[in-house]
Amino acid sequence: MSEKKRATPLLDELKKGPWPSFVREIEKSAETNAMARDTLGQVERSYEDKISHWKHGGLVGVMGYGGGIIGRYSDLPEEYPEVAAFHTYRVNQPSGWFYTSDILRTLCDIWERHGSGLTNMHGSTGDIIFLGSKTEELEPCFRDLTEHGFDLGGSGSDVRTPSACVGPARCEWACYDTLDACNDITHTYQDELHRPAFPYKFKFKFSGCPNDCVASIARSDMSVIGVWKDNIQIDQEKVREYAANGTDIEHEVCQMCPTQCMAWDGTKLTIDNANCVKCMHCINVMPKALRPGKERGATILIGAKAPIIGGALLATVFVPFLEMKPPYDDIKELAEAIWDFWGEYGKNRERVGEFIQRVGLGNFLEEIGLDPIPEMVAHPRTNPYIFFEDELEEEEDA
């Protein structure tokens, strides 16, 4: 392709207005990178034709890994030869997305040497995304990444790159060390992360508190959300300060409580902690007056997903409270029991949540060796007919 910039009138429309534009960012890379220049040309052509000219297909990767790189090609390779192959790397991010400025420069230098220079910080799973590599650059780029301590993340039907909120490093509400848990799980399941062997993807996400800043309850197959087991800590003097400074505690706190477990008499706030569902609303409104309890751990939920194959699912409570201490054997035991059953009977591209819907929660729990508990109930039963298997078996034996 010519070094001269192509005319892109449709893309230029996306640079208008006060908001940031991906077009302007690609143009910066296009000043020195031929792949970025051809990317602009092909995207403009896609807008003209009203169809995508990117096609997926073909297995690409690095030696020994089955995941981590997504193959992508242009269906106009003669017209845009620099993006004939435009593969995407998923690079495993550090826990909590903490970087030094030096390592960010290093990552950018590596990518400018081996790819388009275009990045996405970060992808939906949490990875550092390198957009656009030629096939012959895959191994050299991977070698440079590993020399600086980085590894590829997950792609395909495997454990996707675990992600975590900033946890105790920056957040006072964290009920466990999300960074350590995420790092431990990531290192433990390297084989499951890099070599796809499941019916479909499996995501771990670690949130330090019920604010759930990594949206684990909506997006992860195993959601680990920090909670407390005892009572919310209350500083009554600070509560009165909030009231004196204009906070309408009755309407902004008590009436907004989903279980109506709070009461304010004008001088004292009381909480029926047995009915608290740990929604964090009161704590978020009055952070100086209320804090999570002192007995802290996490709730484990299973089965969330976005609406790709079937509809969207929120995760279901499996373990209401778990102490989060290394080496996190309880989480690993539960995950591996799920993988054994789902791996044997799950359909192709069937997420764990969809599998549970198909086989039934009762059957699923029985197969993974977990006893049912009231917290697993999504809503009150509507079927009036209840059968007790033990009694039926006794009658048959008689």
Side-chain angles (χ1 to χ4, degrees), residues 197-200 337-352 354-360 363-364 366-368:
F198 294 159
Y200 202 18
I338 291 171
W339 293 343
D340 286 344
F341 183 41
W342 173 56
E344 181 71 22
Y345 297 103
K347 295 180 180 179
N348 186 40
R349 295 180 67 83
E350 182 177 49
R351 294 287 288 274
V352 166
E354 295 167 319
F355 178 63
I356 292 173
Q357 283 187 319
R358 180 166 63 85
V359 304
N363 293 328
F364 186 83
E366 184 177 352
E367 290 295 330
I368 67 171

Side-chain angles (χ1 to χ4, degrees), residues 14-314:
L14 299 178
K15 295 190 291 182
K16 297 178 180 179
W19 45 83
S21 169
F22 76 92
V23 176
R24 190 174 286 110
E25 297 305 313
I26 297 176
E27 286 178 341
K28 291 178 183 177
S29 290
E31 293 175 4
T32 57
N33 190 291
M35 291 189 76
R37 288 195 290 272
D38 267 12
T39 299
L40 287 170
Q42 176 157 311
V43 174
E44 175 76 15
R45 176 67 179 275
S46 293
Y47 279 30
E48 291 172 357
D49 298 344
K50 296 183 173 60
I51 61 171
S52 173
H53 287 292
W54 297 115
K55 62 180 184 178
H56 295 257
L59 294 174
V60 295
V62 296
M63 187 67 68
Y65 282 22
I69 299 175
I70 300 133
R72 183 171 289 114
Y73 301 89
S74 168
D75 66 3
L76 300 171
E78 294 79 14
E79 189 170 348
Y80 304 103
E82 292 295 331
V83 295
F86 198 77
H87 309 310
T88 294
Y89 290 74
R90 287 180 176 164
V91 182
N92 198 324
Q93 80 282 2
S95 288
W97 299 283
F98 283 100
Y99 303 92
T100 63
S101 55
D102 180 61
I103 202 64
L104 286 174
R105 291 190 185 96
T106 299
L107 287 168
C108 291
D109 289 343
I110 291 172
W111 191 228
E112 286 181 350
R113 285 198 300 272
H114 298 292
S116 69
L118 305 177
T119 64
N120 176 2
M121 304 289 280
H122 299 84
S124 60
T125 302
D127 308 84
I128 305 161
I129 302 298
F130 284 178
L131 291 161
S133 170
K134 297 179 180 179
T135 305
E136 60 270 21
E137 291 293 335
L138 297 179
E139 288 288 353
C141 183
F142 178 59
R143 183 171 59 248
D144 279 0
L145 286 169
T146 56
E147 286 177 358
H148 289 88
F150 283 89
D151 200 352
L152 296 186
S155 71
S157 298
D158 58 10
V159 170
R160 295 298 179 87
T161 316
S163 64
C165 69
V166 295
R170 296 281 293 173
C171 180
E172 60 184 322
W173 306 137
C175 294
Y176 71 97
D177 191 339
T178 57
L179 308 177
D180 183 68
C182 182
N183 184 67
D184 186 285
I185 292 295
T186 301
H187 281 87
T188 298
Y189 294 120
Q190 286 293 291
D191 194 59
E192 289 80 4
L193 199 153
H194 290 135
R195 296 170 182 86
F198 294 159
Y200 202 18
K201 64 183 103 169
F202 188 95
K203 296 181 180 179
F204 290 96
K205 289 186 185 295
F206 299 87
S207 287
C209 78
N211 280 325
D212 196 12
C213 291
V214 291
S216 64
I217 198 170
R219 293 169 53 193
S220 64
D221 301 272
M222 178 172 281
S223 170
V224 185
I225 301 179
V227 292
W228 58 97
K229 197 174 184 180
D230 53 347
N231 296 340
I232 294 174
Q233 301 179 70
I234 307 175
D235 185 329
Q236 297 290 353
E237 184 60 37
K238 293 293 184 182
V239 175
R240 288 189 283 272
E241 282 185 23
Y242 275 104
N245 291 329
T247 300
D248 188 335
I249 295 176
E250 177 61 32
H251 288 89
E252 295 178 35
V253 179
C254 297
Q255 294 303 316
M256 297 296 287
C257 174
T259 59
Q260 301 292 292
C261 73
M262 309 184 75
W264 167 246
D265 64 6
T267 59
K268 184 178 181 181
L269 180 71
T270 57
I271 303 175
D272 177 10
N273 281 277
N275 284 311
C276 173
V277 292
K278 316 294 193 293
C279 75
M280 291 291 290
H281 173 72
C282 60
I283 296 174
N284 292 334
V285 174
M286 300 191 297
K288 294 180 180 178
L290 304 175
R291 301 184 65 82
K294 296 179 180 180
E295 190 178 353
R296 302 180 181 186
T299 295
I300 313 301
L301 304 95
I302 303 294
K305 62 178 284 291
I308 298 176
I309 303 302
L313 294 173
L314 291 180

Side-chain angles (χ1 to χ4, degrees), residues 185 189 222 327-340 368-370:
I185 292 295
Y189 294 120
M222 178 172 281
Y328 311 105
D329 287 336
D330 291 334
I331 289 178
K332 295 170 186 176
E333 183 180 348
L334 176 59
E336 290 166 19
I338 291 171
W339 293 343
D340 286 344
I368 67 171
L370 201 63

